[in-house]
Amino acid sequence: MSVPSAAPDRSKAVRKQLRLWLPNQHGAWAMLSAPFLVGMGLGRASWWHVPLGIAWLLGYMTAFHLEQYVRLRHIARNPKAPRRHVRPLVTFGAILIVIGAALAVAHPWLLLAAAAMAPFFAVNLWYAWRNDERALVNGLVAVFPACGMLVVSLHLGGGDLAAGWRPAVACLLYFAGTVFYVKTMIRERGNRDFYRISIGYHVVALAVAVWLRPLLAVAFAVYLARAVLLPGRALRPAKVGIIEMGCCALLMVLLLA
C-alpha cells in the first residue's frame, strides 16, 4: 500500500505562512516599487540600491504588521488575534534595523529621509488604531512617502535632486488617482458623488501632468478615460489590479523615456 505524499500538506502549510507573513495589500507593491525603480533609472544604478530596496520593502512589511497588531489589540475580542503579527513584526523589524544601520553609516542623509517619512507612518498607524484603514485620507497619506522614494533612490545613485521632483509629483498624481479610482470600482461602487469627485481629480491631474511634461498627457488621458468608463462595469478586483499594472507600467515608461 502506497503512503500518501506529505508534499501537498507542506505546500499548503507554506502558502498559509506566506499569507500570514506577507501583506495582503496587493496594490501597495506597485506603489512601493515603481517610484523606487524610476528614481534608480533616472540616476545611476548602484549596488547600494539593493540593500536600500530590501530595507524599503522590510520597512513596509514591518509597518504593516505593527499597524495590524495595534488595530487588533484595540478592537479584537480574542486576545490571541494580535499575536499572529508578533513574529513577522519582530523578524522583519530586526532585519530592517541591521540593514538600516549599515545604510545609515554609509549614507547618513538617509536618516533625514526616514525622519521625513515618519509623520506619514504615524498617521497610518493612527488610522489603524481607529480600525479605519480604508479611509480616503489614510490612502492618500500613504502615497506621499512611497513617491518620495523616487527622490531618495535618485539621490543614492548620484542623480540631480532637481531632476527628481517632477517625476515624483507625476507618481504622486497617478497613485493618488488610483485611491479615488479603485474606490469607485469596489467600496464606493455606485456612489455617484464619489464618482464625480474621482473624475474631477483626474481632470486636474491631467492638467498638472501636462504642465509637468507634455508627454505625460498620454498616460493621464488614459487614466482619465478609465476613471470615466470603467466604474459600474462588472470587473473583478483581480482584473482591476491587472489594468492598474498596465497603467503603472505606462507611467514608468514615459518617465524614463
Side-chain angles (χ1 to χ4, degrees):
M1 180 182 296
S2 61
V3 179
S5 173
D9 292 334
R10 287 197 298 269
S11 177
K12 186 181 296 184
V14 170
R15 290 196 298 269
K16 182 179 179 180
Q17 286 299 315
L18 286 175
R19 285 196 297 269
L20 290 175
W21 282 61
L22 296 181
N24 58 359
Q25 300 171 343
H26 305 297
W29 297 107
M31 190 169 69
L32 290 168
S33 59
F36 182 91
L37 293 174
V38 170
M40 186 171 65
L42 293 175
R44 295 189 303 272
S46 163
W47 285 108
W48 282 108
H49 280 103
V50 175
L52 179 63
I54 294 173
W56 177 230
L57 295 179
L58 285 170
Y60 164 65
M61 292 187 288
T62 302
F64 171 82
H65 286 289
L66 178 58
E67 290 169 8
Q68 296 309 306
Y69 179 82
V70 169
R71 181 180 68 86
L72 292 173
R73 277 292 299 270
H74 186 61
I75 68 166
R77 296 181 179 179
N78 182 2
K80 295 183 179 180
R83 296 179 187 173
R84 68 176 183 268
H85 294 284
V86 173
R87 287 183 63 188
L89 170 62
V90 173
T91 302
F92 291 141
I95 302 172
L96 173 62
I97 290 173
V98 173
I99 299 177
L103 285 165
V105 169
H107 303 281
W109 61 269
L110 287 172
L111 293 173
L112 294 176
M117 295 179 182
F120 299 98
F121 166 68
V123 173
N124 293 149
L125 191 63
W126 182 70
Y127 272 99
W129 179 79
R130 293 183 58 198
N131 192 31
D132 195 18
E133 294 173 290
R134 302 297 183 181
L136 176 64
V137 173
N138 190 48
L140 294 175
V141 166
V143 171
F144 282 85
C147 296
M149 275 302 294
L150 187 150
V151 180
V152 174
S153 179
L154 173 67
H155 188 49
L156 185 67
D160 184 4
L161 287 177
W165 75 269
R166 289 176 184 270
V169 171
C171 287
L172 182 66
L173 289 172
Y174 165 66
F175 285 110
T178 65
V179 176
F180 288 97
Y181 161 69
V182 172
K183 284 187 178 296
T184 64
M185 297 296 293
I186 302 174
R187 294 184 177 273
E188 298 293 341
R189 185 176 181 180
N191 185 333
R192 300 300 298 177
D193 290 335
F194 198 90
Y195 172 71
R196 295 187 187 97
I197 292 172
S198 175
I199 293 176
Y201 171 85
H202 282 84
V203 170
V204 174
L206 173 59
V208 176
V210 172
W211 173 74
L212 290 172
R213 187 181 182 189
L215 183 61
L216 292 175
V218 175
F220 282 85
V222 172
Y223 305 153
L224 173 59
R226 64 100 156 84
V228 172
L229 299 175
L230 295 185
R233 296 180 179 271
L235 293 178
R236 296 176 62 86
K239 290 185 178 180
V240 174
I242 291 173
I243 292 171
E244 286 313 295
M245 289 175 62
C247 289
C248 184
L250 174 60
L251 178 65
M252 293 177 67
V253 169
L254 294 180
L255 290 177
L256 293 172

